[in-house]
Amino acid sequence: MPTTMTDLGFFFDWLIVDVLPPEDREWHPVNLQICDPARPTTVVSGGPGRRRWEFMRMPDETIADLNTEDTAWRLLEPWQLTPENSELERHAVYTFHARWADVRRSGRLVLAGDAAHQMPPFAGQGMCSGIRDAANLSFKLDLVLRGLATPDLLDTYGPERSGHIQHTIGLSIELGKVICVTDPAAVAGRDDFMLGHGGDPDKVLPPIPPATLTDGMLYHLPDRSLAPGSGRLAAQGRITYRGRTGLLDDVLGTGFVLASTVDARACLTDDQLTFLDGTYLPHMAEVGHLSALVRPDHYLFGVAQRTDEVGAVVDALREQLGQSAVD
């Protein structure tokens, strides 16, 4: 792949310990982050019957010192876990990075998940970001492989995901700056700041990355500016369609959805309806939007506020898929 990696230089070594504790043990809280300057520690659920501990490597330790079974048991002692009452399933030292690939696609090669980005674990968004990659990429690959779109459509994958990834990595770093603090003066400043704001997450923690796309396979106005409403995550409510009631995604399944406050068929030509090929037309309650065209990954491709705009949104989708109005 002809790509470089942008690396923000934020990395730490942590010992990961997976344990099968006594079955009758209850954990309160279930997940917690201990911001102790003597040893920043994470304790989380590892799934049914499992717990995970993560211990940050301190400056006076080597990776070899940290990554031993004896060290793992020593660090687990404050939780009354011993070889006699628990099973140590695994231990390993991981180095967390904050970096991403600058190019995601080269011909038939495409990067996704950990191959495309790595982030500190403190926002819990590593696997989530990989799932978002797959949701974005899979429906585009499907369209290309079925001959419904040109391969150029795959070039929208990188720009659409890169902005969100960079925001997510930034959030993870800012949380890491709260957690991975060992200097006494810095710890005191952090604690004073948090206590001074009453521990309110909205005031003491960085903002969550916006759930919007800013470029890519989206509806643009004639001046190439992004049309209002395009790129946002679509709302999901309960609908009834053909006798079945449930959440929109469950009732309609995958595919493009044209949601409208009116019967959109009255706003579309026969050619445009043929292109949509069976798209469902559930009612939509979002104020000011006559129709909304939702992508398979649940982002809004575009919205129409007037009946004469509905066809333009559909044609814009067809054009971006590489299909002309006369195909």
Side-chain angles (χ1 to χ4, degrees), residues 175 178 190 193-206:
L175 291 173
V178 173
R190 174 199 66 190
F193 175 77
M194 286 196 162
L195 293 172
H197 290 83
D200 184 347
D202 291 335
K203 296 179 180 178
V204 301
L205 296 178

Side-chain angles (χ1 to χ4, degrees), residues 214-284:
T214 58
D215 192 12
M217 181 188 165
L218 301 169
Y219 179 46
H220 293 79
L221 299 175
D223 63 1
R224 298 306 303 159
S225 63
L226 195 62
S230 298
R232 291 185 296 156
L233 275 172
Q236 180 177 211
R238 294 182 64 82
I239 66 168
T240 298
Y241 179 74
R242 292 182 176 177
R244 183 182 178 191
T245 300
L247 292 175
L248 184 142
D249 294 350
D250 296 330
V251 173
L252 300 187
T254 58
F256 288 91
V257 175
L258 182 61
S260 181
T261 57
V262 298
D263 188 343
R265 290 171 291 192
C267 311
L268 298 172
T269 66
D270 290 342
D271 182 54
Q272 289 166 340
L273 285 169
T274 299
F275 164 70
L276 290 177
D277 189 24
T279 297
Y280 304 100
L281 302 174
H283 286 283
M284 181 183 67

Side-chain angles (χ1 to χ4, degrees), residues 24 26 28 39 74-75 117 120 123 148 155 169 176 182 234 254:
D24 58 350
E26 293 188 7
H28 301 287
R39 175 82 70 180
R74 175 172 56 81
L75 295 175
H117 45 76
L148 301 177
D155 287 332
I169 291 176
T182 58
T254 58

Side-chain angles (χ1 to χ4, degrees), residues 143-174:
L143 290 171
V144 172
L145 293 173
R146 288 195 290 136
L148 301 177
T150 64
D152 291 344
L153 179 65
L154 300 179
D155 287 332
T156 65
Y157 160 66
E160 287 184 356
R161 291 294 302 130
S162 62
H164 190 272
I165 282 294
Q166 292 177 36
H167 279 293
T168 304
I169 291 176
L171 169 65
S172 301
I173 289 176
E174 291 305 311

Side-chain angles (χ1 to χ4, degrees), residues 111-130:
L111 297 178
D114 286 355
H117 45 76
Q118 293 178 299
M119 65 189 72
F122 308 114
Q125 289 300 302
M127 180 180 289
C128 294
S129 296

Side-chain angles (χ1 to χ4, degrees), residues 63-111:
I63 292 179
D65 294 333
L66 191 62
N67 193 22
T68 70
E69 187 170 326
D70 288 343
T71 299
W73 284 120
R74 175 172 56 81
L75 295 175
L76 291 170
E77 285 178 0
W79 286 271
Q80 294 79 50
L81 297 177
T82 68
E84 288 71 36
N85 63 21
S86 303
E87 178 182 344
L88 183 62
E89 191 170 41
R90 65 187 290 268
H91 62 86
V93 173
Y94 284 83
T95 302
F96 302 137
H97 294 277
R99 58 191 180 188
W100 62 83
D102 299 311
V103 175
R104 286 201 174 206
R105 182 203 174 200
S106 177
R108 294 171 61 86
L109 301 178
V110 183
L111 297 178

